[in-house]
Amino acid sequence: MASGENDRSFGPLTELVTAGRDPDDSYGFVNPPVVRGSTVVWPTVADMKALRGRYTYGRRGSPTSDALCDALMRLEGSDHVSLVPSGLNAVALGLLATLSAGDHLLMVDTVYEPTRKLCDGLLKRLGIDTDYYDPLIGSEISGHMRPNTKAVFVESPGSLTFEVQDVPAIAGAAHARGAAVVMDNTWATPLFFRAHDFGVDVSVSAGTKYLGGHADVLIGWVSATGQYASAVKQAHGALGLCVGPDDMFLGLRGLRTLGVRLAHHQASALRVARWLESRPEVERVMHPALENDPGHALWKRDFSGACGLFALELAPGSDEAVAEFLDGLELFGLGYSWGGYESLAIPYDARAVRTATRWAPTGPTIRLHIGLEDVEDLIADLDAGLARYAAAS
Ligand SMILES: *Cc1c(COP(=O)(O)O)cnc(C)c1O
């Protein structure tokens, strides 16, 4: 499986099954071995001095990391992939690889909250200035660019509120001014949004979510093209980032079933979203695959699917009524890190994490992750929850 080949002669499901493995290299076994190792030894001083051989030091790569990186490179259609210990670490690496002291960053207002903290904290201390912009800005982003704007960060759909961005329009404007486009592509995964095909230079993902898929691993990756491939590689090496072999193996194992799991998450989530839309206790469902969602046209143009994560706004009601709804759910856990096989629900208030736009729902808002359970069971659980909500409101 040669790395860095961007030709897509196979369909994406075939790529998921074949990428990054070659039984001839694994004594015939289907899966590559989990290689544990810090030290690499050479037979002679001459070999050592010439760094002869494929591997030099555990941190700098192993057959296990190569297998996962090669597979992800094929899925992304990129020139380079670096593995990191978490999704947030992928965001940080993407930004540290593209920005220096004195640079300006344009950050989407609907970004994942810890990314905002990174920008307003560590990056600010390192002399990098961040301005937030409206996710719906499109090519008007030009008007916000300064001579020192070196990166524009997109996340689509937006965290918690699911606004779809016009990524190609933003990328066109950013590239015209020499800025890099960095994207958090965790929601769609490269299976449903091929970020680099839409002008994204550096695509970051929390593999903790759907790549792992079983709520049992923290991992992230950064994919880059062109000049940004070496920038990411260098920053990754300088920071000494590496991932344990068992976690990399769980990433590889998750990759093989990513397609079928996402198809199921997608179908069930859409089913639940449509059912919620029809309910009087629900004011609005935020899911870009719904025909009347404001982001639907852009989603349809650029994405080839939707995952299991979306949100809803309830008709006005108290916090106590929301707690009645959520506390009594049997099949939805109250938890943040989605993308596993199980369903989740969280109440949220996005008002505190928006500074360039105003978020003003009329009722309480809830984010759902639809897992792999029978969808009828999930709907029955939510149905009983909405009845509790209405009774307590
Ligand atoms: C979860 C998440 C992250 C962070 O991933 P971790 O592995 O938990 O650090 C980053 N971005 C988005 C959009 C996420 O949902």
Side-chain angles (χ1 to χ4, degrees):
M1 316 280 147
S3 54
E5 285 175 12
N6 293 351
D7 61 300
R8 282 173 72 76
S9 44
F10 293 124
L13 297 179
T14 307
E15 296 280 13
L16 289 176
V17 168
T18 57
R21 68 185 184 87
D22 185 349
D24 285 349
D25 279 351
S26 321
Y27 307 98
F29 284 99
V30 168
N31 290 297
V34 176
V35 175
R36 305 189 158 277
S38 54
T39 316
V40 175
V41 294
W42 288 269
T44 67
V45 171
D47 288 317
M48 188 178 212
K49 283 189 172 162
L51 292 176
R52 220 161 269 146
R54 191 158 163 199
Y55 301 102
T56 56
Y57 195 96
R59 197 179 59 224
R60 298 168 59 89
S62 70
T64 310
S65 67
D66 275 358
L68 182 52
C69 286
D70 285 356
L72 290 172
M73 252 167 15
R74 279 200 77 83
L75 190 60
E76 296 270 11
S78 69
D79 300 320
H80 175 77
V81 163
S82 282
L83 301 176
V84 294
S86 71
L88 183 56
N89 199 162
V91 170
L93 177 61
L95 291 171
L96 289 171
T98 49
L99 294 162
S100 305
D103 288 349
H104 176 238
L105 163 68
L106 280 171
M107 173 58 67
V108 65
D109 201 35
T110 46
V111 75
Y112 177 64
E113 190 184 352
T115 300
R116 181 180 280 269
K117 287 208 176 101
L118 168 69
C119 296
D120 298 346
L122 183 70
L123 293 189
K124 190 180 164 72
R125 184 158 67 70
L126 296 178
I128 295 158
D129 250 357
T130 302
D131 272 330
Y132 293 89
Y133 68 87
D134 185 332
L136 305 180
I137 200 163
S139 58
E140 307 281 301
I141 192 90
S142 303
H144 293 254
M145 295 193 69
R146 301 187 201 157
N148 63 336
T149 305
K150 289 289 161 55
V152 177
F153 192 102
V154 297
E155 180 178 333
S156 181
S159 193
L160 302 172
T161 47
F162 298 89
E163 296 85 350
V164 181
Q165 295 196 257
D166 191 339
V167 175
I170 290 171
H175 290 158
R177 307 283 288 268
V181 179
V182 184
M183 177 170 191
D184 186 330
N185 193 29
T186 300
W187 184 85
T189 83
L191 206 59
F192 286 164
F193 185 77
R194 296 254 300 168
H196 298 300
D197 291 352
F198 294 91
V200 172
D201 302 296
V202 178
S203 180
V204 308
S205 297
T208 306
K209 306 294 165 53
Y210 287 118
L211 180 73
H214 294 71
D216 56 5
V217 61
L218 285 153
I219 193 168
W221 79 89
V222 180
S223 171
T225 53
Q227 70 190 96
Y228 299 104
S230 57
V232 167
K233 198 173 169 183
Q234 273 175 34
H236 183 258
L239 290 165
L241 294 168
C242 50
V243 177
D246 289 324
D247 290 348
M248 293 191 283
F249 183 80
L250 287 175
L252 263 175
R253 176 195 254 251
L255 184 87
R256 308 301 175 200
T257 56
L258 181 64
V260 287
R261 285 187 287 109
L262 273 177
H264 193 105
H265 285 291
Q266 163 165 253
S268 292
L270 203 52
R271 200 44 218 293
V272 174
R274 288 196 204 289
W275 176 80
L276 286 167
E277 253 188 332
S278 73
R279 296 294 307 228
E281 303 89 346
V282 176
E283 193 74 30
R284 181 163 79 100
V285 179
M286 290 162 263
H287 188 316
L290 293 175
E291 289 73 11
N292 49 11
D293 186 275
H296 184 67
L298 279 179
W299 173 81
K300 207 170 164 188
R301 186 192 70 184
D302 297 344
F303 289 70
S304 56
C307 71
L309 192 79
F310 66 95
L312 60 131
E313 180 183 330
L314 291 164
S318 64
D319 287 351
E320 292 71 31
V322 172
E324 286 286 321
F325 175 7
L326 299 181
D327 288 351
L329 291 173
E330 250 184 284
L331 298 174
F332 289 78
L334 302 178
Y336 287 103
S337 187
W338 45 276
Y341 52 81
E342 83 292 8
S343 290
L344 297 168
I346 55 161
Y348 70 87
D349 182 353
R351 281 176 298 189
V353 287
R354 301 289 183 261
T355 52
T357 56
R358 209 167 84 84
W359 168 247
T362 56
T365 41
I366 288 171
R367 190 188 72 184
L368 295 180
H369 178 251
I370 302 302
L372 303 178
E373 303 89 344
D374 284 299
V375 69
E376 295 305 340
D377 292 336
L378 297 177
I379 288 175
D381 202 15
L382 292 170
D383 192 32
L386 288 175
R388 285 192 300 276
Y389 180 74
S393 285

